[in-house]
Amino acid sequence: MTTHMPVSEWERVEACRVPAGGVTLRVFDHGDERPGRPPVVLCHGFPELAFSWRHQVVALAKAGHRVLVPDMRGYGGSSRPADVEAYDILTLCADLAGVLDHVGADDAVFVGHDWGANVVWHMALEHPERVRAVAGMSVPVTPRAPAPPLPILRSRLGDDFYMVWFQEPGVADRALSRNVRRTLVTRDIYSAEWATRPDEQLPPPPWLSDEELAYYVDTFEATGFTGGLNYYRNLDRNWALTEHLEGRVITQPSLFVTGSKDPVARFMPADGLGRMLTDQRGHVVLDGAAHWVQQERAEEVNAALLGFLSAVG
């Protein structure tokens, strides 16, 4: 049975406005809470939206879970502060704690993809009492770097590496917004060189319908990409702010899911998982899948999540 959620059904999912850390988050709330079962919070990455979890929302709700899915700070229907420093990792974790406070939940199972994975890993380290279990997709948790990450990335991968290119405010923002559709369907990694190429007329990937693509395009044409880019502009600041987490490990039940063709593995290998996760319940590698696993291989991701959730309560 398919668990894919069409755009028309997604638009009927109830959403609430959650005040957190001086901003307001739009949080989609689906499914009924059962006694003793914590909610599941799904956190998206870049350039994504709460909508990116649409296929998981329906599957988890049908299995008896209450699912909370925010447009993360800087995205979609949530606030988009102008200050770059409003997007550091501790602030993003505080946003998630604010979501739990708003719904009266002591803790939750947190699931994140891409930047959302980085946030939920840090949530488990910074607020362990609020995290019943944690699952990350595409971006593995890694031990704290010995030095600020940007100089390391620049020396190893060059100034045109996308995380480095993203640093100058306004530059990548303009390039990505010039043709939003192209930005969202490109098969290449963003870079200054990519930005100079002629516009491509690529179809959406097979896992994304024209209607779904239009949802993304309409949203990012309205919001731009600056909010999401500001996450990257806090990389070195995040390193400085998390010195107190040096040596901590994640003791909650954990899961990592990725695709065998995910380009993130080229510069963020998952070989540090064993040092950081003391109760790892699975490391799922979907053969042939690329970066957008929860959309590209929704059924397999749903099966992995449901198995994990049934094991952790």
Side-chain angles (χ1 to χ4, degrees):
M1 179 179 65
T2 182
T3 55
H4 286 206
M5 177 181 278
V7 173
S8 59
E9 186 176 343
W10 171 261
E11 291 175 334
R12 292 195 296 270
V13 174
E14 181 179 348
C16 58
R17 310 294 296 178
V18 176
V23 301
T24 301
L25 303 178
R26 179 171 66 174
V27 180
F28 294 85
D29 187 346
H30 194 55
D32 297 321
E33 195 164 325
R34 295 186 180 179
R37 178 175 285 181
V40 181
V41 181
L42 305 177
C43 302
H44 68 80
F46 177 85
E48 295 181 290
L49 300 164
F51 178 70
S52 304
W53 293 105
R54 61 200 176 280
H55 306 317
Q56 286 67 51
V57 165
V58 63
L60 299 186
K62 284 183 177 179
H65 299 277
R66 183 184 185 183
V67 190
L68 303 169
V69 197
D71 277 337
M72 300 290 279
R73 174 185 292 243
Y75 289 88
S78 294
S79 298
R80 302 186 300 279
D83 185 358
V84 171
E85 293 189 348
Y87 296 85
D88 70 80
I89 195 69
L90 298 185
T91 297
L92 298 172
C93 289
D95 285 351
L96 299 184
V99 171
L100 297 191
D101 293 342
H102 182 80
V103 301
D106 292 331
D107 60 9
V109 177
F110 286 88
V111 181
H113 173 252
D114 186 79
W115 254 107
N118 190 34
V119 176
V120 301
W121 296 132
H122 278 87
M123 185 73 184
L125 293 167
E126 179 70 13
H127 301 285
E129 75 285 355
R130 309 302 300 267
V131 180
R132 181 81 62 93
V134 60
M137 298 184 190
S138 297
V139 173
V141 62
T142 59
R144 178 177 163 83
L150 276 173
I152 297 172
L153 291 170
R154 186 175 279 110
S155 65
R156 291 181 179 176
L157 299 167
D159 288 338
D160 205 35
F161 180 62
Y162 77 101
M163 292 188 190
V164 179
W165 178 58
F166 283 172
Q167 294 305 308
E168 183 64 31
V171 175
D173 317 51
R174 289 188 293 270
L176 298 180
S177 295
R178 182 175 60 84
N179 184 332
V180 170
R181 187 187 187 282
R182 178 206 182 209
T183 294
L184 295 173
V185 302
T186 185
R187 298 182 178 91
D188 297 316
I189 296 175
Y190 307 129
S191 67
E193 187 277 329
W194 169 85
T196 65
R197 297 182 204 163
D199 286 354
E200 304 157 291
Q201 297 297 321
L202 294 173
W207 45 264
L208 191 69
S209 71
D210 289 335
E211 184 182 28
E212 291 169 325
L213 175 59
Y215 184 98
Y216 282 112
V217 171
D218 290 347
T219 301
F220 281 106
E221 283 183 343
T223 67
F225 293 93
T226 298
L229 291 169
N230 283 340
Y231 287 49
Y232 294 92
R233 292 167 184 156
N234 277 276
L235 287 174
D236 282 356
R237 185 163 176 264
N238 289 345
W239 182 84
L241 288 171
T242 56
E243 184 178 5
H244 64 288
L245 299 180
E246 176 74 44
R248 288 193 194 178
V249 295
I250 294 173
T251 60
Q252 301 94 325
S254 58
L255 170 71
F256 182 62
V257 179
T258 190
S260 66
K261 295 184 177 180
D262 193 327
V264 171
R266 300 173 195 165
F267 56 89
M268 289 189 71
D271 51 12
L273 289 176
R275 285 178 284 166
M276 292 297 298
L277 305 175
T278 67
D279 188 10
Q280 187 177 354
R281 304 295 180 91
H283 181 173
V284 178
V285 180
L286 299 178
D287 187 44
H291 184 63
W292 315 104
V293 285
Q294 82 271 41
Q295 299 178 85
E296 180 182 354
R297 303 284 278 273
E299 304 298 340
E300 290 158 279
V301 166
N302 293 349
L305 287 178
L306 289 170
F308 178 62
L309 289 168
S310 68
V312 301

